Every structure is written in C-alpha cells, then in structure tokens.
C-alpha cells in the first residue's frame, strides 16, 4: 500500500526502509561516540559498542581542563564569526554586482568561479604559506579568517546570485526614483530580501570553518591560538590510551555543530531549495 505527500512523493515501505537505514548509517557512529564518552577505559575495552553501565561525567570535566577545550572553543568562535561576516560581505557584494549590474564578461566570471570551486585547495598551500610568511600572517587567527573567507566566497557568490536574480528589478527602479544610490539599493533593498541565501551561506561557511583542519594545522602553531579541531587533534595524539577522555572531547567539539544544524536545518534546506529554483 502506498500513499502520496502533498508534493506528490510516494510513500512506500521500501522508501521508509531506505530512510531508516540511512538514518542508522549516519547516527550510529555518533551514538556510539556518546556512549563511549561515559565509559571508563576498562569498560570501554570490554564493551566498546554497548550501552555504558554508568555515566562517567568525570571524563568530560577532565577532558575540558586537560585539553584546554574552552580556549580552543573561543578561538573557533572567533574564526567562525569572522568567516561568516567576511563571507557574507564579500559574497553579497560580488553576487549583487553579477546579478543586478551590467558587468562586462559576466558569463566569464561565472565560469571562472565554477573552475575555482573545482580546484583542490591543497595546490594553494605552498605558495600561500610563503605569501603569508612575507605578510606576517602565519600563526594568526586573522590570517586564517582571510583564508576561510577566500575558500567559501566562490560557492557563496554563485548561490547568492541565484537569489538575487529572482528579485524583481522593479524594486531597483523604484529605489532609484526615490533617490537611492547603488550602495543603498544593494544593502537596504536587495540584500535584505536575500536573507535565506545569506543564512545558508553563513551556515555553510561557519560549519566549514569550525571543522576545518588542514589549513589550521599548517598556519597556526601556538597552542593558545589553536581552534577546536586542531586542539582536539593534538589532544587525541597526546592521550592515545585514554579513549574515554578523547571520546568526551570529541563529543564536546561535535555538539555545537550538531545543535546548530538541527536548529537551522529547515531554513538551511529551504534556502538551498529556493536558491536552486530561482537559479
């Protein structure tokens, strides 16, 4: 027996089974990680996949203090905040220019952004390291923010452009009649209407900056400036036999990203869907 949703999608037992399997595939590793974070090292060795016999909250307290997780969390907050703001500003300005202004070589710019997205970031590490050394941006959160903004901007421009193209041009003309200049039209009229796109861009850039490891390991060396992902890596390498503490630290790192995505998932999916339709 089958049924249909309002969107015309068929509901069958097979579709539910596939969704359940996908949910288990995605959720079981995280669930086992949480279970193991409450176990002692002895219990974890005897029962690595089962439920914990008790709740060892001491693992979280010790992991927080010994791993300097609070400091790493604050550094990640600075990185995420700077990356989100920088990406939204740069991508918003570029997307507005490509969507609302009569620019020469507009199609060539779009193709260039597609090519940039397809390139592996590893090929830029060596020249970027020498450039950052000459600019004294090595071991600097500001230098890392610039890198993250540059990495996220091409995709964000293409995504935001799909939102801005769908906004009626009559709004631009009405604002010009009222005496608004191009800057006022962009930041007071058009971009506020693209809030779902800006929210999607901010969420993608923020989660990417929070979990990024490669550039953080290479460009940040001082322990006091390490973001959460890098601090967790060093902590796990220094406590390879203390699996309970490492699992607790991993849960602490994962929890903010999971909660943020669960809280924003509807707006995130709606932003991607509406952007795809308008594009």
């Amino acid at each position: 027996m089958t049924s249909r949703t309002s969107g015309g999608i068929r509901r069958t037992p097979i579709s539910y089974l596939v969704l359940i399997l996908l949910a288990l595939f995605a959720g079981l590793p995280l669930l086992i990680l949480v279970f193991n974070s409450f176990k002692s090292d002895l219990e974890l060795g005897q029962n690595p996949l089962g439920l914990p016999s008790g709740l060892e909250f001491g693992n979280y307290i010790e992991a927080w203090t010994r791993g300097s997780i609070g400091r790493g969390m604050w550094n990640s907050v600075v990185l995420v905040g700077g990356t989100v703001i920088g990406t939204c500003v740069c991508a918003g300005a570029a997307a507005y220019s490509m969507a609302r202004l009569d620019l020469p070589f507009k199609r060539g710019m779009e193709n260039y952004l597609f090519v940039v997205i397809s390139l592996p970031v590893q090929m830029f590490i060596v020249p970027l390291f020498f450039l950052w050394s000459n600019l004294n941006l090595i071991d600097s959160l500001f230098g890392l923010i610039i890198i993250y903004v540059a990495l996220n901007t091409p995709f964000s421009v293409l995504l935001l452009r799909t939102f801005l193209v769908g906004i009626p041009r009559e709004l631009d003309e009405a604002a010009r009649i009222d005496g608004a200049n191009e800057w006022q039209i962009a930041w007071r009229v058009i971009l506020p209407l693209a809030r779902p796109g800006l929210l999607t861009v901010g969420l993608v850039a923020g989660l990417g900056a929070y979990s990024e490891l490669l550039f953080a390991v290479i460009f940040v060396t001082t322990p006091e400036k390490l973001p959460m992902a890098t601090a967790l890596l060093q902590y796990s390498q220094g406590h390879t036999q203390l699996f309970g503490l490492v699992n607790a630290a991993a849960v602490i790192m994962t929890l903010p990203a999971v909660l943020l995505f669960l809280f924003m998932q509807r707006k995130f999916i709606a932003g991607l869907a509406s952007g795809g339709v308008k594009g």
Side-chain angles (χ1 to χ4, degrees):
M1 182 177 181
T2 62
S3 61
R4 288 179 176 269
T5 63
S6 59
I9 302 176
R10 291 186 177 182
R11 293 178 177 177
T12 64
I14 296 179
S15 64
Y16 283 112
L17 178 61
V18 171
L19 291 175
I20 291 173
L21 291 176
L22 290 175
L24 291 175
F25 179 78
L28 276 180
L30 182 61
L31 192 61
I32 293 174
L33 177 67
V34 174
F35 288 162
N36 290 342
S37 67
F38 290 107
K39 299 176 184 177
S40 63
D41 291 334
L42 178 61
E43 182 185 0
L44 200 152
Q46 296 174 347
N47 181 25
L49 300 178
L51 293 171
S53 59
L55 299 180
E56 290 287 343
F57 288 102
N59 288 341
Y60 286 90
I61 298 175
E62 190 172 358
W64 183 274
T65 54
R66 293 177 62 174
S68 301
I69 293 179
R71 182 178 58 203
M73 190 74 71
W74 170 250
N75 293 334
S76 292
V77 169
V78 174
L79 284 176
V80 170
T83 301
V84 170
I85 294 174
T87 302
C88 288
V89 171
C90 294
Y96 176 84
S97 301
M98 296 178 64
R100 316 299 291 190
L101 302 180
D102 187 17
L103 297 179
F105 309 109
K106 185 183 299 186
R107 180 60 61 181
M109 294 179 185
E110 295 176 10
N111 295 333
Y112 171 76
L113 292 177
F114 278 113
V115 171
V116 170
I117 293 174
S118 65
L119 294 176
V121 296
Q122 290 81 359
M123 65 183 299
F124 302 108
I125 290 179
V126 174
L128 188 60
F129 184 85
F130 285 106
L131 176 61
W132 253 228
S133 298
N134 294 330
L135 296 176
N136 294 322
L137 291 176
I138 296 293
D139 199 24
S140 168
L141 292 181
F142 179 71
L144 201 56
I145 289 173
I146 297 176
I147 295 175
Y148 290 163
V149 171
L151 292 176
N152 287 283
T153 296
F155 168 77
S156 302
V157 171
L158 295 175
L159 179 62
L160 282 175
R161 178 190 169 277
T162 62
F163 284 89
L164 300 180
V165 166
I167 298 176
R169 289 190 173 272
E170 288 78 6
L171 296 176
D172 305 54
E173 299 173 359
R176 289 190 179 92
I177 293 175
D178 291 337
N181 55 35
E182 203 66 47
W183 177 266
Q184 293 171 330
I185 295 173
W187 297 105
R188 296 185 180 181
V189 180
I190 303 301
L191 288 178
L193 296 176
R195 286 179 182 175
L198 290 171
L199 180 63
T200 303
V201 164
L203 186 59
V204 171
L207 291 177
Y210 183 76
S211 59
E212 202 281 327
L213 183 62
L214 177 63
F215 286 93
V217 169
I218 296 174
F219 288 88
V220 177
T221 57
T222 304
E224 289 75 16
K225 297 180 181 180
L226 293 177
M228 189 62 193
T230 311
L232 177 63
L233 175 64
Q234 290 198 353
Y235 182 74
S236 61
Q237 291 176 342
H239 299 81
T240 53
Q241 302 300 321
L242 303 177
F243 298 109
L245 297 183
V246 173
N247 288 327
V251 171
I252 295 174
M253 175 188 173
T254 307
L255 190 60
V258 172
L259 292 178
L260 178 62
F261 183 77
L262 291 177
F263 179 73
M264 304 292 292
Q265 63 174 331
R266 290 185 179 273
K267 295 181 180 180
F268 174 72
I269 296 173
L272 286 179
S274 59
V277 171
K278 292 177 182 178

